[in-house]
Amino acid sequence: MSMTSIAFIGLGNMGGPMAANLAKAGHEVTATDLSIGAIDRAVEAGCKRGDSVADAVKDADVVVTMLPAGAHVRSVYTEGYGVLANAKEGALLIDSSTIDVDSARAVISTATDKGFAMVDAPVSGGVAAATGGTLTFMVGGDDEAFARARPVLEAMGKNIFHAGAAGNGQVAKICNNMLLGISMIGTCEAFNLAEKLGLDAQTFFDISSTASGQCWSMTSYCPAPGPVPNAPSNRDYQPGFAAGMMLKDMRLAQEAAHKAKASTPLGAQSEALYALMEAAGKDNLDFSGIMKLVRGDL
Ligand code: NAD
């Protein structure tokens, strides 16, 4: 796409490399963060320095945010120092943070009332995908906003999905990760039981990965060491995708499930198990490290 003036707010583990990829694609990116060090790194990667949110957004056609949680997103968009009070009329706003569905819908509603186009566009894929520009974006918002966002997202990702109306990107993200969190625990239980009954991990993998127990947690990310050489289980569960981040997404899913009165008994149980990893101080391990908990050696 042609060069666009983009403000990028939130230059952490994910936002830093995402902003760099936008600059690499030829956009004029003004980057800002609460951390001066993070801004310095973005400038080294080809971005312009934004001294504040207001300074970064004032001339931008597009604003991208990549912040920790819903409270940060509400503040950065709706407070006086923030995006809505200082961005150009009609600017396109893209929030790629993983946040609660209610905050996403509330902020988008306020933004659209003020005449902005806005989408929620959370990502799947970790720091490696952010760096490589191969993220998956799950986007919620109207058709016109999605059409405007797509070329910007393409500079940072490989798969761009329109999940429906505002907030549906977050819905897709937490439902997918709830399923992943549950399926990982089921996979751990199966491999642990097989081993206890005298069936080795490789043989069980060969059988189950071509039978009806097959799932991504097994074939791409096997929590038992051996069958999938590049899985975190072969490097003592160094992440990958940390258990603490999985726990964040499981909590968001449970919060949404309570509000929607959706019954998610396995989601609730899985959240409790990842919380035990956190309580044991092991939430920095990969989420497949829940194998250690299942084996009783956490
Ligand atoms: P991070 O904590 O590394 O980065 C967040 C950045 O936001 C920090 O640099 C912080 O200083 C900045 N920030 C906070 N408040 C701010 C404000 N008011 N103004 C300006 N900057 C502010 O987090 P991360 O790992 O980059 O994750 C960002 C989001 O992406 C989270 O919602 C996370 O759940 C989601 N996510 C992360 C991963 C991952 O693997 N790290 C994968 C998928 C999704």
Side-chain angles (χ1 to χ4, degrees):
M1 73 180 291
S2 58
M3 194 271 276
T4 305
S5 171
I6 300 176
F8 203 109
I9 305 165
L11 306 165
N13 293 318
M14 297 291 288
M18 289 164 72
N21 279 334
L22 287 172
K24 216 190 291 171
H27 300 300
E28 186 183 87
V29 182
T30 307
T32 197
D33 194 286
L34 296 176
S35 154
I36 302 293
I39 303 177
D40 289 344
R41 283 189 291 280
V43 169
E44 270 165 40
C47 300
K48 286 175 62 182
R49 179 176 302 274
D51 289 325
S52 64
V53 171
D55 177 50
V57 304
K58 66 180 191 303
D59 297 320
D61 299 316
V62 178
V63 177
V64 184
T65 47
M66 193 55 168
L67 298 162
H72 307 85
V73 172
R74 283 180 186 262
S75 167
V76 164
Y77 277 92
T78 62
E79 287 185 21
Y81 73 90
V83 176
L84 301 186
N86 295 287
K88 265 198 328 200
E89 200 182 317
L92 169 68
L93 316 177
I94 301 174
D95 178 40
S96 282
S97 325
T98 299
I99 66 169
D100 60 288
V101 176
D102 284 356
S103 290
R105 289 186 172 150
V107 172
I108 294 176
S109 163
T110 308
T112 45
D113 283 351
K114 290 185 189 298
F116 294 101
M118 181 165 183
V119 296
D120 56 303
V123 303
S124 153
V127 174
T131 305
T134 58
L135 292 165
T136 293
F137 285 90
M138 293 154 270
V139 185
D142 64 38
D143 290 345
E144 201 188 324
F146 175 71
R148 283 176 69 190
R150 181 196 276 280
V152 179
L153 301 177
E154 277 169 351
M156 301 182 282
K158 195 172 55 172
N159 299 308
I160 322 290
F161 292 108
H162 191 191
N168 276 21
Q170 302 293 348
V171 173
K173 162 95 188 173
I174 59 172
C175 291
N176 178 71
N177 279 18
M178 182 179 80
L179 177 55
L180 172 63
I182 293 170
S183 80
M184 179 53 76
I185 297 170
T187 305
C188 290
E189 290 186 3
F191 274 86
N192 183 51
L193 178 60
E195 191 188 308
K196 288 240 185 293
L197 297 175
L199 175 56
D200 67 90
Q202 186 64 53
T203 308
F204 177 59
F205 178 90
D206 293 343
I207 296 166
S208 193
S209 64
T210 51
S212 48
Q214 185 274 336
C215 64
W216 186 92
S217 292
M218 179 189 297
T219 53
S220 295
Y221 219 79
C222 186
V228 177
N230 60 2
S233 55
N234 297 299
R235 44 175 202 266
D236 207 16
Y237 302 101
Q238 291 313 301
F241 181 49
M245 290 196 170
M246 173 55 85
L247 179 58
K248 173 191 169 179
D249 295 348
M250 297 303 262
R251 284 178 170 147
L252 288 173
Q254 287 311 294
E255 189 185 327
H258 288 146
K259 286 188 177 144
K261 294 191 175 17
S263 143
T264 53
L266 292 182
Q269 186 66 49
S270 303
E271 179 204 343
L273 291 170
Y274 289 107
L276 282 178
M277 284 186 80
E278 181 184 53
K282 301 289 186 190
D283 50 325
N284 56 342
L285 290 183
D286 187 77
F287 79 109
S288 62
I290 197 127
M291 187 62 161
K292 285 175 170 279
L293 185 72
V294 169
R295 280 189 168 143
D297 64 1
L298 191 63

